[in-house]
Amino acid sequence: MAKRTSLLIGPDEKVSKFEATILGLQHVLAMDVYVPPIILAGILAMSSADAMGLLQATFLAAGVGTLLQTVIFMKIPVSQGPSFVPLTAAAGIVLANGGLHGKGIATLLGSSLIGSIFLILLGLTGVFHKIINKFVPPVVGGTIITCVGLSLIPAALKDNIFAAPGNIFQNIELASITAVVLIFCIAMSLRIPKLEKIFKTSSIVVALLVGTSVAATMGRFNWSQVASAPLFSFPQRTILHWGLDFSLTPIITFIIIYIILTAETTGTWFAMSAVTGCDISKKQWNNGIIGEGASCICSTLLGATPVTGYSTNAGIVSITGVASKHVFISAGIWFIILGFFSKLSAFLATVPAPVIGGVFAIITVTIMLNGLKVIRNVETEESDLYVIGIPIVLTMALLLVPKKVVAVTPQLLQYLLGSPIAVAAIVAVILKLIMPKYRGRLAKK
């Protein structure tokens, strides 16, 4: 059932090929897809060839996964990308099994493959929809969306701006310029109705281009990295290069990680549903988790870490007002192009982090506010104050908790604590189940 939204173009509406191409690239530019593989490559001290191979594989997996979900499985505008959650576990598995020169990567890929099959079975049996239908009512869904946006804010501000490489004052300046340009475009779209579509749909691309141009004048754009990258290359670090190896402990670890990732992805789908105003059907829930597993199998075969639903795109849709599936198909094709055209992927990877952060910060806030909007439209009970509030507090707590505190907990618990969204979702579900009902209702405003 469609709900009232402020979209300019709905999910099933068509756009011209030119618009789809530009707007698809806009999604790619605003997604920091290249960051997780670069982080993992750094942890494992990969050679430049291995690191580039991992980056290529990630782009290709994101592209194929996006097309699988948007066109075949879930059939809603959704994009796939690498999650940060498995990185620590992935590095640990590789190092514990002989590293890059032993069976490390082969064991990682074997574990990921089994976890992917587990997700597909979850969807084929129809269990996934029953879990969502029973345990995730609208107030819980809205809370999860809110926590998704909230959990991304520190990454946007700290990782991309305050703690990013380079002069911190320049970082703040670049992020501010990028954010101001984005807000200016949005303001113009609201003030001049005739130009609404032009300004709103192109707002993120314009902001990123201006931010990158300013960064280039500061000497903050690494042209040498782009120049040294080959123009075109096939992936060299696939499963054919690394092989497959199966070990029980890593497999159990990755199944648990996939369960955590599923909780995160559920939040992403709720967020996109809220932004587009379209409910997700029983069939879509089950097909979605099958598509998630298929995407992860693809990433495994290509030699990358799991690619899952990316929450950033819901914020982009909210800002641009364009939710057409044709745009997401274009984004998937762009990712595939980036996987083969190494120079182009190197160019995007050198866009300064503060420029991304300036846009990312606003995107995360729109996701959070869409969650609050869902909650606002639900007739809540007095007990729901805690169902909503406690997960938000826990999300903030896990974002601020010192790493040394998390480091002394058992390894499996560390994976869970590394995903504030998963913890928030689990706690919200539990609180909704155990809190008493009908002890007083809160009036909707």
Side-chain angles (χ1 to χ4, degrees):
M1 182 180 71
K3 306 183 190 94
R4 186 166 157 265
T5 68
S6 58
L7 291 178
L8 296 174
I9 301 172
D12 296 313
E13 294 182 53
K14 292 185 178 181
V15 295
S16 69
K17 290 182 179 178
F18 176 76
E19 281 184 298
T21 300
I22 298 301
L23 295 175
L25 179 60
Q26 183 168 250
H27 277 274
V28 171
L29 288 169
M31 295 168 65
D32 54 351
V33 169
Y34 58 89
V35 175
I38 288 175
I39 290 174
L40 183 59
I43 295 173
L44 297 176
M46 283 184 168
S47 65
S48 58
D50 287 344
M52 182 57 72
L54 181 60
L55 188 62
Q56 275 188 290
T58 302
F59 277 130
L60 286 171
V64 174
T66 298
L67 295 177
L68 285 174
Q69 283 288 52
T70 304
V71 179
I72 299 174
F73 290 103
M74 202 164 195
K75 295 184 179 179
I76 68 170
V78 64
S79 185
Q80 302 294 102
S83 173
F84 288 84
V85 173
L87 295 183
T88 304
I93 289 171
V94 172
L95 295 174
N97 290 274
L100 297 174
H101 303 294
K103 293 184 177 180
I105 299 292
T107 304
L108 170 63
L109 296 178
S111 305
S112 182
L113 181 63
I114 299 300
S116 304
I117 294 171
F118 167 77
L119 291 185
I120 292 174
L121 293 175
L122 198 61
L124 289 174
T125 58
V127 172
F128 187 65
H129 168 260
K130 292 178 181 178
I131 293 172
I132 296 298
N133 191 49
K134 181 175 178 61
F135 298 112
V136 191
V139 68
V140 173
T143 301
I144 294 172
I145 299 169
T146 303
C147 292
V148 168
L150 185 63
S151 69
L152 293 173
I153 292 175
L157 297 177
K158 184 181 177 183
D159 298 345
N160 285 282
I161 303 172
F162 302 135
N167 184 295
I168 187 172
F169 298 104
Q170 281 190 348
N171 290 353
I172 294 171
E173 185 178 353
L174 285 173
S176 300
I177 290 170
T178 308
V180 167
V181 172
L182 176 57
I183 294 169
F184 173 79
C185 290
I186 295 170
M188 293 299 290
S189 74
L190 296 173
R191 282 188 170 273
I192 310 175
K194 290 183 179 180
L195 299 177
E196 179 184 14
K197 186 176 179 181
I198 296 174
F199 274 105
K200 195 170 185 180
T201 56
S202 64
S203 56
I204 292 174
V205 157
V206 171
L208 289 172
L209 287 176
V210 172
T212 302
S213 299
V214 174
T217 65
M218 296 178 175
R220 295 287 300 271
F221 192 86
N222 190 353
W223 291 104
S224 62
Q225 186 174 329
V226 179
S228 62
L231 179 63
F232 177 90
S233 63
F234 287 98
Q236 300 295 318
R237 299 296 189 269
T238 66
I239 200 170
L240 296 176
H241 173 81
W242 297 112
L244 275 179
D245 192 71
F246 300 97
S247 180
L248 183 59
T249 301
I251 287 173
I252 293 173
T253 298
F254 246 76
I255 287 176
I256 293 171
I257 286 172
Y258 270 113
I259 292 171
I260 295 169
L261 288 175
T262 299
E264 284 202 336
T265 301
T266 299
T268 297
W269 293 343
F270 271 121
M272 190 59 79
S273 173
V275 169
T276 59
C278 298
D279 289 332
I280 301 174
S281 68
K282 172 183 176 180
K283 184 178 181 180
Q284 284 176 308
W285 279 117
N286 291 330
N287 284 349
I289 204 66
I290 295 171
E292 194 85 346
S295 297
C296 292
I297 285 179
C298 176
S299 67
T300 299
L301 297 177
L302 289 167
T305 54
V307 290
T308 60
Y310 234 58
S311 53
T312 305
N313 302 90
I316 298 171
V317 169
S318 182
I319 290 172
T320 63
V322 180
S324 174
K325 285 184 279 191
H326 294 276
V327 171
F328 282 77
I329 292 170
S330 171
I333 294 171
W334 270 114
F335 277 129
I336 293 172
I337 291 172
L338 290 172
F340 289 107
F341 286 88
S342 309
K343 196 173 286 293
L344 185 56
S345 62
F347 177 84
L348 293 182
T350 45
V351 173
V355 174
I356 299 290
V359 170
F360 197 16
I362 297 174
I363 289 173
T364 58
V365 168
T366 62
I367 296 172
M368 183 182 72
L369 294 177
N370 272 293
L372 295 175
K373 186 177 178 181
V374 171
I375 295 170
R376 184 186 177 196
N377 292 327
V378 176
E379 188 175 11
T380 52
E381 301 168 7
E382 185 177 350
S383 62
D384 288 330
L385 290 174
Y386 303 96
V387 174
I388 299 165
I390 300 302
I392 291 175
V393 170
L394 285 173
T395 299
M396 287 301 301
L398 291 177
L399 292 171
L400 298 174
V401 64
K403 291 183 179 179
K404 63 181 180 180
V405 175
V406 177
V408 299
T409 62
Q411 190 67 55
L412 292 180
L413 185 58
Q414 288 183 37
Y415 303 146
L416 182 61
L417 295 178
S419 175
I421 301 169
V423 173
I426 292 167
V427 171
V429 168
I430 292 173
L431 286 173
K432 187 61 179 176
L433 289 173
I434 66 174
M435 294 294 279
K437 300 180 180 180
Y438 311 117
R439 291 289 299 275
R441 293 189 180 276
L442 302 174
K444 287 194 294 182
K445 294 184 180 180

